[in-house]
Amino acid sequence: MTGASRGIGAAIARALGRDGWPVGVNYRRDKDAAERVVAEIEQKGGRAVALAGDVADPGAPDQLFEALESHFSAPVLVLVNNAGIARDDLTPSLGDEEWSAVLDTDLTGAFRFTRRALKPMLRARAGRIVNISSVVGLRANPGQANYAAAKAGLIALTKTAAIEVARRGVTVNAVAPGVIDTAMTEEVATDLLAMVPARRAGTPEEVAACVRFLVSEEASYVTGAVLSVDGGLAA
Ligand code: NDP
């Protein structure tokens, strides 16, 4: 579970922990926050471990998978690619650095983790990958060309990987949240909220509920899908 120290990732980690999954709580900088998520999962009887690692680092997938495999003495059969950043600017002034940082974290990182995760999953003929995309991968939002390209690319990666591995019992799906109440959306303009048919922001728990379903046994015939969790914004 990448980027699980706060926001949507922390809510997903708690939900999967409650369902009995051993959870790797990955974070980049905020160790204390990640350890609080681990403590919350353990208090409810679950198992979890905090793991530092920058998903944009090419060595991160091997490092984190090896740490998880040895901590829980089992192959990793569920991956949630949630870590993501935004660096907004209008296209004429969007810098190379902002472009690359977002693509490296939100798309290339998810690709490398997916590639690493598929090896044990294909061997086990079982596995679940869920990629946290965005409504912005489905419909335009000014100032987010880099983020939109990454999140739309993540949907294309999801669909392609899904059909490649469907015969082997592995599913790959995307969730596309709309405006969700987290640190990332602290400064969301009220006019954007006014565009949401439900007229409110969603909660991290509402996104986590959909991820719970996609990793469950009940979702075994759902693959290559994009599940919008956006109060109707993409409809
Ligand atoms: P937050 O900014 O609240 O949390 C982001 C999490 O990702 C943190 O745990 C952060 O850890 C971690 N993270 C960021 N960069 C890296 C990295 N390079 N390597 C490892 N971990 C990293 O974001 P949200 O919870 O709002 O968003 C989670 C996901 O949902 C993102 O992919 C985002 O794009 C997507 N999303 C969010 C929406 C929203 O409205 N909030 C809407 C649509 C999609 P640390 O603090 O240690 O850096």
Side-chain angles (χ1 to χ4, degrees):
M1 166 84 246
T2 67
S5 56
R6 60 188 149 89
I8 293 170
I12 297 170
R14 286 191 289 260
L16 298 186
R18 269 199 311 277
D19 282 350
W21 295 103
V23 188
V25 177
N26 161 247
Y27 65 96
R28 180 183 42 167
R29 286 189 296 229
D30 198 344
K31 185 173 186 212
D32 290 349
E35 284 180 346
R36 279 197 297 277
V37 175
V38 169
E40 284 164 13
I41 293 171
E42 287 175 344
Q43 269 159 23
K44 300 239 158 89
R47 289 186 297 155
V49 61
L51 298 166
D54 182 338
V55 298
D57 169 2
D62 274 341
Q63 180 207 322
L64 294 187
F65 273 76
E66 281 161 24
L68 271 177
E69 285 156 0
S70 99
H71 188 85
F72 292 121
S73 306
V76 177
L77 297 181
V78 174
L79 167 67
V80 182
N81 281 309
N82 167 79
I85 56 167
R87 297 278 184 277
D88 297 356
D89 209 341
L90 295 172
T91 305
S93 42
L94 188 61
D96 285 351
E97 206 178 304
E98 286 72 34
W99 176 269
S100 301
V102 170
L103 270 287
D104 288 352
T105 302
D106 298 16
L107 181 58
T108 309
F111 157 65
R112 291 201 191 101
F113 272 78
T114 298
R115 181 174 61 188
R116 176 61 179 80
L118 283 173
K119 288 175 193 160
M121 291 179 184
L122 291 173
R123 266 199 300 277
R125 294 188 166 263
R128 296 279 191 268
I129 298 178
V130 180
N131 293 321
I132 308 301
S133 178
S134 167
V135 64
V136 176
L138 299 169
R139 60 168 281 184
N141 193 35
Q144 294 203 302
N146 50 356
Y147 187 74
K151 295 298 189 180
L154 192 52
I155 289 173
L157 166 65
T158 299
K159 292 182 178 182
T160 307
I163 64 163
E164 288 174 356
V165 301
R167 277 178 305 171
R168 309 282 285 276
V170 178
T171 70
V172 188
N173 291 289
V175 170
V179 183
I180 307 298
D181 197 5
T182 71
M184 190 179 261
T185 49
E186 255 166 9
E187 287 161 23
V188 161
T190 42
D191 54 345
L192 181 58
L193 269 185
M195 288 165 61
V196 179
R199 294 289 187 274
R200 66 169 177 91
T203 65
E205 288 70 27
E206 287 174 313
V207 179
C210 296
V211 176
R212 257 184 92 188
F213 166 66
L214 290 172
V215 307
S216 73
E217 187 54 36
E218 282 79 3
S220 50
Y221 203 54
V222 181
T223 197
V226 183
L227 182 48
S228 288
V229 191
D230 65 0
L233 187 55

